[in-house]
Amino acid sequence: MIWIIVALILIYFILRPAWRVYKAYRDPQKAMEDFLRRNGFTAAGAPSGDDEQPRGRRSKGGWSAPRPRKKKIDPSAGDYVRFTNLPPEDPAPGTPSDTTSSATIEVEQQTVDVTWEEIK
């Protein structure tokens, strides 16, 4: 009877956590291998020779580039606006440019909302 209890304790406190650690390590590794296999790569990362490539066309030399996607917006939709680039206006030699013009700056006094009284 005592051996059964020891076996249950062994299973519950030692083997169960060990199994969970193994699964926590193995599940992401297996998911990555499945992902690579589904997308045409072997587990080592090299492209596989399988003919079940989801995108692309089969050519004589191997897989070619993916097919170009159809445009979502029709080119005839919308308005075309014609514009022309105007040359920059050069100021006359005697006139000051906008960057050197003097401008007056008005400084306003600070607005005081509350008058403060010092407490003794």
Side-chain angles (χ1 to χ4, degrees), residues 46-108:
S48 66
D50 297 337
D51 287 339
E52 46 189 330
Q53 190 80 345
R55 286 170 290 182
R57 295 181 293 269
R58 182 78 169 146
S59 65
K60 202 172 194 179
W63 290 100
S64 62
R67 291 187 181 109
R69 294 185 179 175
K70 185 178 174 183
K71 290 191 176 186
K72 294 181 180 180
I73 299 173
D74 185 25
S76 64
D79 297 328
Y80 177 74
V81 178
R82 295 189 75 178
F83 68 94
T84 57
N85 289 330
L86 297 175
E89 294 181 17
D90 292 329
T95 60
S97 65
D98 292 336
T99 58
T100 61
S101 65
S102 62
T104 58
I105 300 174
E106 269 186 48
V107 179
E108 296 180 4

Side-chain angles (χ1 to χ4, degrees), residues 1 16-18 21 24 26 28 44-46 48 51 56 64 75 105 109 115 117:
M1 178 71 179
R16 184 171 174 241
V21 168
R26 181 66 183 141
S48 66
D51 287 339
S64 62
I105 300 174
Q109 296 299 324
T115 57
E117 293 181 12

Side-chain angles (χ1 to χ4, degrees), residues 10-75:
L10 177 74
I11 289 172
Y12 189 76
F13 287 110
I14 296 174
L15 294 179
R16 184 171 174 241
W19 177 254
R20 286 188 175 194
V21 168
Y22 169 76
K23 290 293 285 182
Y25 170 76
R26 181 66 183 141
D27 286 347
Q29 186 179 26
K30 190 170 183 168
M32 187 61 156
E33 288 172 1
D34 290 343
F35 173 78
L36 291 174
R37 193 175 302 112
R38 275 182 279 144
N39 290 301
F41 287 88
T42 60
S48 66
D50 297 337
D51 287 339
E52 46 189 330
Q53 190 80 345
R55 286 170 290 182
R57 295 181 293 269
R58 182 78 169 146
S59 65
K60 202 172 194 179
W63 290 100
S64 62
R67 291 187 181 109
R69 294 185 179 175
K70 185 178 174 183
K71 290 191 176 186
K72 294 181 180 180
I73 299 173
D74 185 25

